[in-house]
Structure formats: C-alpha cells, structure tokens
Amino acid sequence: MAKQTSAYQVAYERLRDYILNGELPRGEKVTEEKWAERLGVSRTPIREAIRKLEQEGLIKEKRVVNPSETDLRHIFQVRILLEGFATRCAATYMNEATLQQMHNCIETAKNGGTEEIMEANEEFHNIIIQASNNPVMIDTIDRMQSIIYLFRRTVVYYKRPFLIDEHEQIYQAILAHDADRAEQLMKEHLQADLEFCLHLLKQ
C-alpha cells in the first residue's frame, strides 16, 4: 500500500509539474498507458493522479486544460469575490508582522528575477487569503491554486503592466485600514489580470 501511494504521489507531482511548466502543452491528451510507461509505474497510480489533476482543474476530459474565455471568466469571478472579501478582512485585522511580510513581497518583486516575482506574487496573495481567517474560503482557494498558478505564470512571464504597482496600492490601503478601498483595489487588480489573459487568448 505504501509503495502504491508513493507511486501515485510521484505520478501526480510529475504530471502536475509538466503541465505547470508548459512541457505538457494545453490541449494535449493524457493517456494512462503512455504515462505509466514513461514514469515506470502501473496504470493505477496514473489513473489516480489524473483524477486529482481533474479535481484541480488542470486536466479536463483526459486533456491538459485549455481554458476558454468562459472558463477564464468563471474562475476569475470566484477569485474576485473571495479575494476581494479577504482583502477587506486584511485591512481590518492584519497585524504589523504580517504587514511587513507583505511589504517584503513587494520589494522582492520590484528587484527580483522572474521566478522570484512568481514566488513573491503567490505569497502576497496567500497572505491576504489567510487574513480572512475563514477556513472554508482558504480551502476553496487552496483547491484552485494549480489553475491559479497557470494564470499567475501568464501575467508574470508576459510582463503585465503595473502588476507590482497595484500590489503596492493594495498594501497601502491595507496599511491605512481602508477596507473599502483595499477590497476595490483587489477586485480591479484581478479584473486586470483577467483582461490581460483574455487578450493573450485572443491573439
């Protein structure tokens, strides 16, 4: 049983990483036979890995997800609602130590390379989500993290304008405990992410 679990974990992590780094392109079919042979495991752990990746939104109908315009809008609608509310909570309750962590994320993103910007971007948003102190909300966003990563990679690698400036504005609103402005800025920030991704999709 332990060996089976290990094989499943390896299969899941390898497939997930191939999708997230673009080695498995969007729309490509993922077959149990091919990946069992490639990873040197039986079909069962591959089947389980595919099932988990389907739950995370990275595989759809046995193919690597290739989000349509409608898919993008639906995903971002959920993010805008949840992260907007989480940002309102952050402006109300966030302590000094956590505010400093947010500030550090912004400074890292201003001065870092692409991978550092990716990590700082992710941490910035996660800090705000955790500030909601709502375990249901946190779990909901957590289950979306893989698909969110794809969009985060798009806005960072294709250098969406004003990305870090908007983080700075959100941080300043939270620092000032201006809940209304903080929530609105986060919603506008995510809407800009959506529009940028939609623009690339149409090219």
Side-chain angles (χ1 to χ4, degrees):
M1 180 65 72
K3 184 177 180 181
Q4 189 75 2
T5 302
S6 176
Y8 150 71
Q9 192 66 27
V10 168
Y12 161 70
E13 291 177 358
R14 292 282 292 278
L15 281 169
R16 180 197 62 194
D17 290 347
Y18 286 142
I19 293 170
L20 294 180
N21 67 25
E23 188 171 335
L24 255 175
R26 296 182 183 188
E28 181 161 319
K29 190 171 184 179
V30 182
T31 61
E32 294 175 16
E33 297 88 347
K34 173 183 174 180
W35 284 97
E37 181 178 353
R38 180 168 175 177
L39 299 181
V41 298
S42 70
R43 290 174 57 179
T44 300
I46 299 295
R47 186 180 307 121
E48 293 301 315
I50 290 172
R51 184 176 295 123
K52 182 170 176 60
L53 291 166
E54 286 174 337
Q55 292 171 351
E56 293 181 357
L58 292 181
I59 291 179
K60 186 176 181 180
E61 297 176 352
K62 307 301 182 186
R63 292 184 180 275
V64 177
V65 66
N66 187 21
S68 65
E69 179 175 335
T70 301
D71 294 331
L72 281 170
R73 291 187 185 280
H74 288 168
I75 291 164
F76 271 92
Q77 281 170 359
V78 174
R79 283 194 71 192
I80 288 168
L81 285 170
L82 295 184
E83 291 197 45
F85 178 77
T87 308
R88 169 174 287 277
C89 294
T92 306
Y93 304 116
M94 190 172 284
N95 59 42
E96 291 296 326
T98 311
L99 282 165
Q100 184 60 50
Q101 290 176 355
M102 288 188 70
H103 179 71
N104 293 343
C105 290
I106 294 167
E107 293 304 309
T108 298
K110 284 180 180 178
N111 302 302
T114 300
E115 290 304 322
E116 290 172 310
I117 295 172
M118 281 287 294
E119 292 175 8
N121 189 323
E122 180 178 15
E123 184 178 358
F124 180 88
H125 283 270
N126 285 343
I127 287 170
I128 291 173
I129 292 160
Q130 293 294 326
S132 71
N133 290 318
N134 183 324
V136 177
M137 180 184 295
I138 293 168
D139 181 63
T140 300
I141 291 289
D142 189 56
R143 284 185 278 114
M144 296 174 64
Q145 284 296 353
S146 291
I147 195 72
I148 287 172
Y149 178 92
L150 288 180
F151 303 133
R152 180 172 292 125
R153 190 168 183 268
T154 298
V155 299
V156 171
Y157 277 73
Y158 288 90
K159 295 181 170 57
R160 177 170 85 72
F162 310 118
L163 186 71
I164 310 306
D165 294 337
E166 290 166 18
H167 280 192
E168 177 82 51
Q169 292 169 1
I170 292 166
Y171 164 74
Q172 291 296 339
I174 292 173
L175 184 65
H177 303 296
D178 189 339
D180 289 340
R181 178 166 169 76
E183 180 177 14
Q184 185 60 35
L185 285 171
M186 177 58 81
K187 289 180 175 181
E188 291 173 359
H189 173 67
L190 293 175
Q191 184 66 35
D193 278 357
L194 169 61
E195 290 170 4
F196 185 78
C197 290
L198 288 172
H199 173 72
L200 291 177
L201 183 67
K202 293 173 181 176
Q203 286 185 335

PDB file of all heavy atoms in Angstrom, residues 176-189:
ATOM      1  N   ALA A 176      -3.426  51.396   5.720  1.00  0.00           N
ATOM      2  CA  ALA A 176      -4.248  52.511   6.206  1.00  0.00           C
ATOM      3  C   ALA A 176      -5.570  52.042   6.811  1.00  0.00           C
ATOM      4  O   ALA A 176      -6.384  52.869   7.231  1.00  0.00           O
ATOM      5  CB  ALA A 176      -4.520  53.479   5.057  1.00  0.00           C
ATOM      6  N   HIS A 177      -5.788  50.724   6.826  1.00  0.00           N
ATOM      7  CA  HIS A 177      -7.038  50.136   7.333  1.00  0.00           C
ATOM      8  C   HIS A 177      -8.263  50.668   6.589  1.00  0.00           C
ATOM      9  O   HIS A 177      -9.339  50.837   7.177  1.00  0.00           O
ATOM     10  CB  HIS A 177      -7.188  50.390   8.843  1.00  0.00           C
ATOM     11  CG  HIS A 177      -6.037  49.874   9.654  1.00  0.00           C
ATOM     12  ND1 HIS A 177      -5.730  48.534   9.738  1.00  0.00           N
ATOM     13  CD2 HIS A 177      -5.102  50.532  10.390  1.00  0.00           C
ATOM     14  CE1 HIS A 177      -4.665  48.382  10.506  1.00  0.00           C
ATOM     15  NE2 HIS A 177      -4.254  49.573  10.912  1.00  0.00           N
ATOM     16  N   ASP A 178      -8.068  50.934   5.300  1.00  0.00           N
ATOM     17  CA  ASP A 178      -9.171  51.404   4.451  1.00  0.00           C
ATOM     18  C   ASP A 178      -9.774  50.183   3.742  1.00  0.00           C
ATOM     19  O   ASP A 178      -9.375  49.832   2.629  1.00  0.00           O
ATOM     20  CB  ASP A 178      -8.648  52.414   3.434  1.00  0.00           C
ATOM     21  CG  ASP A 178      -9.767  53.105   2.664  1.00  0.00           C
ATOM     22  OD1 ASP A 178     -10.878  52.551   2.609  1.00  0.00           O
ATOM     23  OD2 ASP A 178      -9.515  54.187   2.096  1.00  0.00           O
ATOM     24  N   ALA A 179     -10.725  49.541   4.408  1.00  0.00           N
ATOM     25  CA  ALA A 179     -11.268  48.272   3.922  1.00  0.00           C
ATOM     26  C   ALA A 179     -11.972  48.414   2.577  1.00  0.00           C
ATOM     27  O   ALA A 179     -11.820  47.558   1.700  1.00  0.00           O
ATOM     28  CB  ALA A 179     -12.229  47.685   4.964  1.00  0.00           C
ATOM     29  N   ASP A 180     -12.736  49.486   2.411  1.00  0.00           N
ATOM     30  CA  ASP A 180     -13.461  49.683   1.149  1.00  0.00           C
ATOM     31  C   ASP A 180     -12.496  49.811  -0.028  1.00  0.00           C
ATOM     32  O   ASP A 180     -12.670  49.171  -1.066  1.00  0.00           O
ATOM     33  CB  ASP A 180     -14.346  50.931   1.223  1.00  0.00           C
ATOM     34  CG  ASP A 180     -15.546  50.746   2.135  1.00  0.00           C
ATOM     35  OD1 ASP A 180     -15.904  49.576   2.400  1.00  0.00           O
ATOM     36  OD2 ASP A 180     -16.126  51.752   2.567  1.00  0.00           O
ATOM     37  N   ARG A 181     -11.479  50.643   0.150  1.00  0.00           N
ATOM     38  CA  ARG A 181     -10.515  50.876  -0.937  1.00  0.00           C
ATOM     39  C   ARG A 181      -9.688  49.615  -1.204  1.00  0.00           C
ATOM     40  O   ARG A 181      -9.440  49.254  -2.360  1.00  0.00           O
ATOM     41  CB  ARG A 181      -9.592  52.045  -0.589  1.00  0.00           C
ATOM     42  CG  ARG A 181      -8.533  52.302  -1.660  1.00  0.00           C
ATOM     43  CD  ARG A 181      -7.853  53.654  -1.461  1.00  0.00           C
ATOM     44  NE  ARG A 181      -6.677  53.798  -2.324  1.00  0.00           N
ATOM     45  CZ  ARG A 181      -6.743  54.039  -3.624  1.00  0.00           C
ATOM     46  NH1 ARG A 181      -7.910  54.149  -4.218  1.00  0.00           N
ATOM     47  NH2 ARG A 181      -5.635  54.161  -4.340  1.00  0.00           N
ATOM     48  N   ALA A 182      -9.290  48.934  -0.137  1.00  0.00           N
ATOM     49  CA  ALA A 182      -8.482  47.719  -0.300  1.00  0.00           C
ATOM     50  C   ALA A 182      -9.243  46.666  -1.098  1.00  0.00           C
ATOM     51  O   ALA A 182      -8.696  46.050  -2.026  1.00  0.00           O
ATOM     52  CB  ALA A 182      -8.080  47.169   1.071  1.00  0.00           C
ATOM     53  N   GLU A 183     -10.508  46.449  -0.749  1.00  0.00           N
ATOM     54  CA  GLU A 183     -11.327  45.473  -1.462  1.00  0.00           C
ATOM     55  C   GLU A 183     -11.489  45.868  -2.925  1.00  0.00           C
ATOM     56  O   GLU A 183     -11.339  45.024  -3.829  1.00  0.00           O
ATOM     57  CB  GLU A 183     -12.697  45.354  -0.803  1.00  0.00           C
ATOM     58  CG  GLU A 183     -13.607  44.353  -1.502  1.00  0.00           C
ATOM     59  CD  GLU A 183     -14.950  44.181  -0.810  1.00  0.00           C
ATOM     60  OE1 GLU A 183     -15.297  45.021   0.051  1.00  0.00           O
ATOM     61  OE2 GLU A 183     -15.647  43.203  -1.122  1.00  0.00           O
ATOM     62  N   GLN A 184     -11.773  47.133  -3.188  1.00  0.00           N
ATOM     63  CA  GLN A 184     -11.975  47.592  -4.559  1.00  0.00           C
ATOM     64  C   GLN A 184     -10.697  47.456  -5.384  1.00  0.00           C
ATOM     65  O   GLN A 184     -10.735  47.049  -6.551  1.00  0.00           O
ATOM     66  CB  GLN A 184     -12.455  49.048  -4.564  1.00  0.00           C
ATOM     67  CG  GLN A 184     -12.797  49.576  -5.948  1.00  0.00           C
ATOM     68  CD  GLN A 184     -13.902  48.766  -6.618  1.00  0.00           C
ATOM     69  OE1 GLN A 184     -14.827  48.279  -5.966  1.00  0.00           O
ATOM     70  NE2 GLN A 184     -13.802  48.605  -7.938  1.00  0.00           N
ATOM     71  N   LEU A 185      -9.557  47.790  -4.784  1.00  0.00           N
ATOM     72  CA  LEU A 185      -8.287  47.679  -5.497  1.00  0.00           C
ATOM     73  C   LEU A 185      -7.963  46.238  -5.859  1.00  0.00           C
ATOM     74  O   LEU A 185      -7.453  45.963  -6.953  1.00  0.00           O
ATOM     75  CB  LEU A 185      -7.158  48.281  -4.654  1.00  0.00           C
ATOM     76  CG  LEU A 185      -7.110  49.812  -4.581  1.00  0.00           C
ATOM     77  CD1 LEU A 185      -6.096  50.263  -3.538  1.00  0.00           C
ATOM     78  CD2 LEU A 185      -6.768  50.419  -5.944  1.00  0.00           C
ATOM     79  N   MET A 186      -8.258  45.313  -4.954  1.00  0.00           N
ATOM     80  CA  MET A 186      -8.002  43.896  -5.262  1.00  0.00           C
ATOM     81  C   MET A 186      -8.904  43.431  -6.399  1.00  0.00           C
ATOM     82  O   MET A 186      -8.454  42.697  -7.302  1.00  0.00           O
ATOM     83  CB  MET A 186      -8.225  43.031  -4.014  1.00  0.00           C
ATOM     84  CG  MET A 186      -8.054  41.523  -4.274  1.00  0.00           C
ATOM     85  SD  MET A 186      -6.417  41.072  -4.921  1.00  0.00           S
ATOM     86  CE  MET A 186      -5.461  41.056  -3.399  1.00  0.00           C
ATOM     87  N   LYS A 187     -10.159  43.819  -6.373  1.00  0.00           N
ATOM     88  CA  LYS A 187     -11.074  43.438  -7.448  1.00  0.00           C
ATOM     89  C   LYS A 187     -10.596  43.986  -8.793  1.00  0.00           C
ATOM     90  O   LYS A 187     -10.610  43.273  -9.807  1.00  0.00           O
ATOM     91  CB  LYS A 187     -12.494  43.937  -7.138  1.00  0.00           C
ATOM     92  CG  LYS A 187     -13.171  43.175  -5.997  1.00  0.00           C
ATOM     93  CD  LYS A 187     -14.576  43.720  -5.738  1.00  0.00           C
ATOM     94  CE  LYS A 187     -15.303  42.877  -4.695  1.00  0.00           C
ATOM     95  NZ  LYS A 187     -16.675  43.378  -4.434  1.00  0.00           N
ATOM     96  N   GLU A 188     -10.147  45.226  -8.797  1.00  0.00           N
ATOM     97  CA  GLU A 188      -9.645  45.831 -10.030  1.00  0.00           C
ATOM     98  C   GLU A 188      -8.358  45.145 -10.487  1.00  0.00           C
ATOM     99  O   GLU A 188      -8.134  44.964 -11.698  1.00  0.00           O
ATOM    100  CB  GLU A 188      -9.403  47.328  -9.815  1.00  0.00           C
ATOM    101  CG  GLU A 188     -10.687  48.122  -9.623  1.00  0.00           C
ATOM    102  CD  GLU A 188     -10.432  49.570  -9.234  1.00  0.00           C
ATOM    103  OE1 GLU A 188      -9.238  49.958  -9.096  1.00  0.00           O
ATOM    104  OE2 GLU A 188     -11.412  50.320  -9.057  1.00  0.00           O
ATOM    105  N   HIS A 189      -7.523  44.769  -9.541  1.00  0.00           N
ATOM    106  CA  HIS A 189      -6.264  44.073  -9.834  1.00  0.00           C
ATOM    107  C   HIS A 189      -6.527  42.737 -10.524  1.00  0.00           C
ATOM    108  O   HIS A 189      -5.925  42.424 -11.562  1.00  0.00           O
ATOM    109  CB  HIS A 189      -5.517  43.856  -8.513  1.00  0.00           C
ATOM    110  CG  HIS A 189      -4.291  43.014  -8.610  1.00  0.00           C
ATOM    111  ND1 HIS A 189      -3.155  43.408  -9.293  1.00  0.00           N
ATOM    112  CD2 HIS A 189      -4.010  41.781  -8.093  1.00  0.00           C
ATOM    113  CE1 HIS A 189      -2.236  42.466  -9.193  1.00  0.00           C
ATOM    114  NE2 HIS A 189      -2.722  41.470  -8.480  1.00  0.00           N
TER     115      HIS A 189
END
